[in-house]
Amino acid sequence: MKIALFSDTFAPEINGVAIHVAALKEGLESLGHEVLVVTTNPKNTTTFEEHGVLHCPSIKLKRIYGYGLSMPINMRQYHIIKKFAPDVIHIHTEFGIGLFGILVSKLLKRPVVYTLHTIYDDYVYYVVPKPLVKTGQRIFYKYIRSLYRRATVITGPSPKSHEYLSRAGISQNVEIIPNPVDVDRFSPENVTPSDIARVREKYSIPADAFVGCIVSRVGKEKSIDILINYIEKYAKINDKFRFLVIGDGPAKVDLEKQAKKLGIGDIIIFTGKIPNSELLPYYAACDVFLTASLSDTNSISMLEAMSMGLPIIQRDDPINKGQVVENINGFIFNGEASFVKKLDLVYNMPPQRRCELKARVRNSVIHSNTKNNMAVKIVDVYNHAIEIFA
C-alpha cells in the first residue's frame, strides 16, 4: 500500500505530532508499505523531496511553537504526490498542509483518514484576545466541522479526541489508536551512570536528590503553574526534592517568576529546549514524571518517561481514565494534599519496591505502545477507509 502522510510538523521538530508521524512512517515502512510524508520546511524557499519526505516552503509561526504554515495549493507539490500515487491520504493537521491534503484527495479521488492530535479549546488564547476566547472557540468549531466532515475515517490517540469533536458538533465515531513510543531507544539500559551524573552536575542537583520532571511545551495549557504551587508545599517536608521543567514556550518567564516568588527558584530548574535525541539521560536522571495538564490526549513525553521506568503522578483526568493506573504505572492526584501524599509515597518507597514499580511502569507500555503495533492498527483503518470509499 502507498500512504501519503500530511503534517505541518515533522522530525527533527520537537513536538508530539512530529514524533508521532515519524514513528508512523517507520512503522508502516517496516511492514512493507511505501510512505510519503508531506510537510513544511520554513528553512527553504523551494520544494524538494528527500528520503520519502516532501518538504514544502512555509512561513514559520514563532508564536505557535515554530510550526510552519504553507500555502494550501501548490501544483508542483501536487504533481509529485500524483506521481507517488497514494492509495490513501492521512492528514495530521487542520491547517495549510491539511487543507492541501484535502485538495489532493479530491483531485486524486482517494479516501481521507484524519487524525486529531490537539484539543484546540486549550490553544485558542494563543491567537485571539482573552475576552474573545469563547467566540474564537465557536468559530473554530465551525472550521473543524468543515474539515472533518470530509474525512472517510477519523482517528485519535484517546477518548478525549472523540469528546472534543462531539463538542464541536461532529457525530462521526473516532477510532482510538494510542500514541507510540520507541521502547527500544527509551530504555534505562541505554544510559550509563556517568550520563546521569553529567545531567545532575550540569544543573547542580545533589547526588541524593529526589528528582521529578515534566517534558513539555512550556505553555499555559500545560498547567505547570499548578505543579509549582503544589511543589512549594512539598518542599517544606522534603528539602531533597528538585523539579526539572524540560522544554520551552511562552509561559516560561512567568513560571520562573512564580517559582522565585514562592521561594523555590533553586528547586524548580528550567532547562529550556532539549532535542529529543538527547532526552534519555534527562529521564534517567529523574525519579518520577509529574503532570497537571488536562490538555493532552495521549502525551508522548509521558509514554517516553514510562518506557524509561518513571512512574507518573498525574492530575485526575476522567476522560483519559486508564492511561495511568494506580500503583501499576503511576498515581493520580486530586488537589494539593493528594499531590503531596502521592509524591511522598514514591519518595519513601524502599529501594526494592521502587525497582518493582519501575519494572511495572515500563511493562505497561513495552508490549502495547510500540510503533509497529500502531502501524498495524492504522493499516486496518486504511483498509476500512478504502473499502468505505470504493
Side-chain angles (χ1 to χ4, degrees):
M1 187 185 301
K2 291 185 175 183
I3 305 108
L5 307 177
F6 287 73
S7 174
D8 282 327
T9 180
F10 188 66
E13 290 294 325
I14 306 171
N15 60 71
V17 178
I19 294 170
H20 175 104
V21 175
L24 178 56
K25 181 179 187 291
E26 291 176 14
L28 290 169
E29 289 174 340
S30 72
L31 297 176
H33 302 287
E34 293 183 58
V35 180
L36 177 67
V37 174
V38 183
T39 190
T40 64
N41 193 323
K43 296 180 180 179
N44 291 278
T45 57
T46 58
T47 296
F48 70 96
E49 182 184 356
E50 184 178 45
H51 305 307
V53 180
L54 178 60
H55 297 270
C56 306
S58 64
I59 299 171
K60 192 168 186 177
L61 301 177
K62 293 183 179 179
R63 183 164 179 167
I64 310 180
Y65 305 128
Y67 277 44
L69 180 64
S70 66
M71 294 297 293
I73 300 174
N74 185 299
M75 294 311 294
R76 182 182 176 191
Q77 294 160 15
Y78 166 69
H79 285 300
I80 293 172
I81 299 166
K82 183 180 179 180
K83 183 178 179 181
F84 175 71
D87 298 297
V88 64
I89 304 294
H90 188 173
I91 299 174
H92 295 264
T93 173
E94 289 70 27
F95 306 106
I97 289 290
L99 296 175
F100 182 44
I102 289 174
L103 174 63
V104 170
S105 72
K106 285 183 176 181
L107 294 174
L108 296 182
K109 296 181 173 57
R110 295 293 187 270
V112 173
V113 173
Y114 230 124
T115 294
L116 175 70
H117 290 280
T118 305
I119 306 304
Y120 287 101
D121 282 357
D122 300 307
Y123 294 83
V124 173
Y125 76 91
Y126 278 103
V127 293
V128 300
K130 189 174 181 179
L132 299 177
V133 165
K134 291 296 182 184
T135 301
Q137 286 175 346
R138 288 195 296 271
I139 293 171
F140 198 72
Y141 284 165
K142 185 175 181 180
Y143 175 70
I144 284 284
R145 288 196 296 271
S146 71
L147 294 180
Y148 279 80
R149 283 173 179 163
R150 302 172 189 269
T152 313
V153 179
I154 300 173
T155 76
S158 87
K160 192 170 283 191
S161 308
H162 182 78
E163 191 269 346
Y164 173 73
L165 290 178
S166 295
R167 194 162 66 243
I170 298 169
S171 58
Q172 188 172 346
N173 186 49
V174 176
E175 298 284 340
I176 305 302
I177 301 177
N179 279 325
V181 61
D182 189 340
V183 296
D184 293 324
R185 184 163 80 89
F186 287 94
S187 170
E189 296 177 354
N190 295 332
V191 184
T192 66
S194 60
D195 293 332
I196 296 171
R198 276 193 293 271
V199 170
R200 291 200 167 204
E201 288 170 8
K202 181 177 180 179
Y203 299 102
S204 301
I205 300 172
D208 64 344
F210 176 53
V211 185
C213 72
I214 183 170
V215 180
S216 172
R217 303 185 195 99
V218 185
K220 177 183 175 183
E221 72 283 351
K222 299 300 182 178
S223 300
I224 298 171
D225 58 324
I226 291 176
L227 293 177
I228 291 175
N229 281 333
Y230 292 177
I231 287 169
E232 188 266 336
K233 302 301 180 186
Y234 182 66
K236 291 178 179 179
I237 67 170
N238 186 354
D239 62 4
K240 295 185 182 299
F241 185 69
R242 300 292 185 274
F243 182 54
L244 288 176
V245 179
I246 303 169
D248 207 347
K252 182 171 177 251
V253 172
D254 288 340
L255 293 172
E256 287 174 329
K257 290 178 180 177
Q258 178 189 358
K260 186 175 181 179
K261 184 177 179 180
L262 291 172
I264 53 174
D266 58 335
I267 292 173
I268 310 296
I269 300 166
F270 293 87
T271 70
K273 185 183 291 187
I274 302 296
N276 187 265
S277 60
E278 298 175 15
L279 276 178
L280 266 71
Y282 282 80
Y283 284 124
C286 299
D287 300 291
V288 64
F289 185 98
L290 311 178
T291 176
S293 174
L294 298 180
S295 69
D296 295 315
T297 50
N298 186 216
S299 167
I300 287 180
S301 61
M302 190 171 79
L303 294 172
E304 290 172 349
M306 286 193 280
S307 188
M308 291 293 292
L310 295 189
I312 310 300
I313 297 184
Q314 179 189 42
R315 183 181 175 190
D316 187 26
D317 188 2
I319 300 174
N320 276 342
K321 183 179 180 181
Q323 288 185 6
V324 173
V325 180
E326 197 82 6
N327 206 36
I328 298 297
N329 56 7
F331 302 90
I332 304 295
F333 69 88
N334 290 282
E336 178 186 286
S338 177
F339 173 85
V340 170
K341 180 180 178 181
K342 298 299 174 67
L343 187 54
D344 209 41
L345 173 66
V346 176
Y347 174 67
N348 286 306
M349 279 186 180
Q352 181 61 33
R353 277 193 62 197
R354 200 187 287 189
C355 285
E356 291 169 355
L357 175 60
K358 283 178 173 286
R360 291 197 299 273
V361 172
R362 178 162 165 78
N363 285 335
S364 71
V365 295
I366 197 171
H367 299 300
S368 57
N369 289 85
T370 67
K371 57 190 174 186
N372 280 11
N373 282 349
M374 178 182 68
V376 168
K377 293 175 182 177
I378 284 287
V379 169
D380 287 342
V381 169
Y382 294 158
N383 286 326
H384 182 50
I386 291 169
E387 181 180 336
I388 293 172
F389 191 79

